[in-house]
Amino acid sequence: MYDDIVLKLQKEHRLSAAEYKELLVNPVYDSALQEAARRQALEIFGNEIYIRGLIEFTNYCKNNCYYCGIRAGNKNVERYRLTKDDILLCCEHGYELGFRTFVLQGGEDKLFTEEILCDIVSAIRKEFPDCAITLSFGELPRSMYQSLFDSGANRYLLRHETANPIHYSKLHPENLSHENRIKCLYDLKEIGYQVGCGLMVGSPYQTVDNLVEDLMFIGDFKPHMVGIGPFIPHKDTPFAHYSAGSVQMTLKLLSIIRLMEPRVLLPSTTALASLMPDGCEQGILAGANVVMPNLSPDIAKSKYILYNNKSSVGAQDANALLVLRQRLNKIGYTISNSRGDYN
Ligand code: SAM
């Protein structure tokens, strides 16, 4: 009986809301789920893990999300922004190390106008024609998503954060709407990006039913990537006193999502690695197939603090990448040299 739901998910890739809930609340499924998800990932990607070089290019942000350490209202953050040359240097360095995807992530910094950002994306596209460019720069007008796509960006990460509008309003101030977040995701998909949605596991006020709604949303939206990591509190935010999300629940969601969308690009996230020394490996063993080492310069790494005790899967030098390679080898995986597109 226990394996029946897992078997159904494996074969049909979708469950009813009641069945998702049963998987989420009942630990008896955990090992069968994990085993099935790992096998599914191995079948599609072999034992190869895609790496993405993360460049955190600004920690200025106009938004005030209650959970986020770089929210506008946090006056204790030392703000920084990288220049176009800084960003290109990170890419050059990353390219030499073997990265073929660069992820530019930032707070919603108004100084990175459409013109400036398109210029940066075009420069990366020109210098690294064989690389994928992923952006994670929040909610923008559709026309700007289009210009960035036309300048050479291929992928966009925009976590939906929660599929429930009431829950969304408990995590964000009034000027941010769930409706717009979801609209942005559909705009991105229509334009032709490979799109990533996602959520924080254990964010304040989240219920199991909310997680079920998240799974149903993922089932409808059919993202190319899903970013799933535990919520971790930051001391200078309104959510400072909430507990961190559960590692077990995060791993379980990774497994369910791998079985729902077998080809999905699923990172083992920094937040997971921040809560558990072998979180990166655990994520992969639960069905993840992507790791995003940080290529940002040290000045950025110490200031792009979304939550306390943030770990860094380093790629600052060849040695750090070698350490990652060894850690993956230990659990039977290797780093892929390819761009790792969704297909
Ligand atoms: N501004 C862009 C956006 O909104 O998508 C990108 C940057 S934002 C900091 C990237 C992601 O960090 C968010 O989507 C959120 O899920 C995650 N994040 C922020 N604060 C966090 C926290 N305290 N714990 C875990 N993840 C967090």
Side-chain angles (χ1 to χ4, degrees):
M1 142 78 183
Y2 291 150
D3 294 343
D4 282 359
I5 303 187
V6 178
L7 213 60
K8 179 175 171 192
L9 182 57
Q10 220 176 331
K11 284 201 174 134
E12 300 176 15
H13 309 295
R14 292 293 184 273
L15 295 176
S16 67
E19 288 166 328
Y20 285 129
K21 188 166 180 175
E22 169 66 8
L23 283 186
L24 292 177
V25 298
N26 200 331
V28 293
Y29 301 102
D30 291 8
S31 61
L33 252 182
Q34 204 168 106
E35 178 65 33
R38 190 185 317 166
R39 258 189 283 121
Q40 179 72 88
L42 281 168
E43 232 170 73
I44 293 177
F45 305 101
N47 66 344
E48 299 213 333
I49 300 298
Y50 297 137
I51 50 168
R52 311 332 193 167
L54 180 62
I55 304 168
E56 296 161 335
F57 68 99
T58 173
N59 71 352
Y60 282 87
C61 192
K62 67 178 168 58
N63 289 338
N64 242 328
C65 307
Y66 301 145
Y67 45 82
C68 186
I70 61 167
R71 63 200 302 270
N74 184 359
K75 301 299 173 210
N76 295 331
V77 180
E78 260 184 75
R79 304 284 171 175
Y80 74 91
R81 46 176 75 91
L82 302 185
T83 63
K84 174 182 169 185
D85 286 347
D86 294 332
I87 295 171
L88 284 169
L89 262 181
C90 291
C91 296
E92 277 160 27
H93 183 53
Y95 194 88
E96 278 166 24
L97 290 171
F99 287 88
R100 294 296 177 267
T101 292
F102 303 117
V103 181
L104 269 58
Q105 189 181 90
E108 295 184 32
D109 180 351
K110 282 185 280 188
L111 252 64
F112 282 96
T113 57
E114 178 167 338
E115 198 188 343
I116 292 176
L117 215 50
C118 285
D119 178 52
I120 293 171
V121 170
S122 306
I124 301 175
R125 174 54 55 240
K126 192 161 164 238
E127 200 175 326
F128 306 98
D130 55 333
C131 292
I133 303 172
T134 305
L135 299 176
S136 177
F137 193 57
E139 296 172 36
L140 301 172
R142 182 179 173 130
S143 56
M144 185 160 166
Y145 286 145
Q146 183 71 58
S147 310
L148 289 164
F149 186 77
D150 296 341
S151 301
N154 316 92
R155 307 181 189 143
Y156 205 102
L157 299 173
L158 185 76
R159 291 182 171 186
H160 64 286
E161 313 295 2
T162 168
N164 182 294
I166 295 170
H167 183 215
Y168 192 89
S169 70
K170 293 181 181 170
L171 303 178
H172 302 94
E174 251 174 41
N175 66 318
L176 294 175
S177 84
H178 183 256
E179 193 186 350
N180 193 56
R181 191 101 183 154
I182 302 297
K183 177 187 175 296
C184 287
L185 282 167
Y186 280 95
D187 283 347
L188 288 161
K189 215 173 185 196
E190 277 169 27
I191 289 168
Y193 283 94
Q194 292 172 46
V195 183
C197 64
L199 62 127
M200 292 174 290
V201 179
S203 61
Y205 310 106
Q206 183 181 71
T207 63
V208 178
D209 289 316
N210 292 151
L211 289 175
V212 171
E213 289 173 88
D214 286 319
L215 292 174
M216 302 297 272
F217 170 73
I218 289 168
D220 286 344
F221 182 63
K222 302 188 190 69
H224 307 99
M225 312 177 274
V226 183
I228 298 277
F231 160 76
I232 305 177
H234 184 292
K235 64 179 176 48
D236 298 321
T237 64
F239 289 161
H241 301 296
Y242 284 85
S243 311
S246 145
V247 166
Q248 280 322 313
M249 186 58 98
T250 306
L251 295 174
K252 181 149 42 183
L253 284 161
L254 285 173
S255 298
I256 294 175
I257 293 165
R258 166 62 62 215
L259 293 171
M260 289 174 71
E261 292 292 327
R263 313 197 75 83
V264 80
L265 300 164
L266 200 54
S268 184
T269 53
T270 311
L272 185 59
S274 300
L275 285 188
M276 226 188 176
D278 66 342
C280 175
E281 290 91 331
Q282 292 295 326
I284 287 163
L285 295 172
N289 71 317
V290 173
V291 181
M292 295 169 67
N294 200 328
L295 283 180
S296 314
D298 287 342
I299 181 200
K301 265 192 222 128
S302 60
K303 294 181 181 152
Y304 195 86
I305 303 296
L306 308 181
Y307 42 82
N308 292 126
N309 305 315
K310 183 178 166 210
S311 111
S312 172
V313 181
Q316 44 296 40
D317 53 38
N319 197 39
L321 204 61
L322 186 69
V323 171
L324 175 64
R325 201 181 294 280
Q326 286 167 344
R327 284 175 60 174
L328 295 180
N329 287 349
K330 258 197 182 154
I331 55 163
Y333 289 80
T334 68
I335 291 178
S336 161
N337 301 321
S338 89
R339 234 170 88 126
D341 283 297
Y342 181 92
N343 47 45

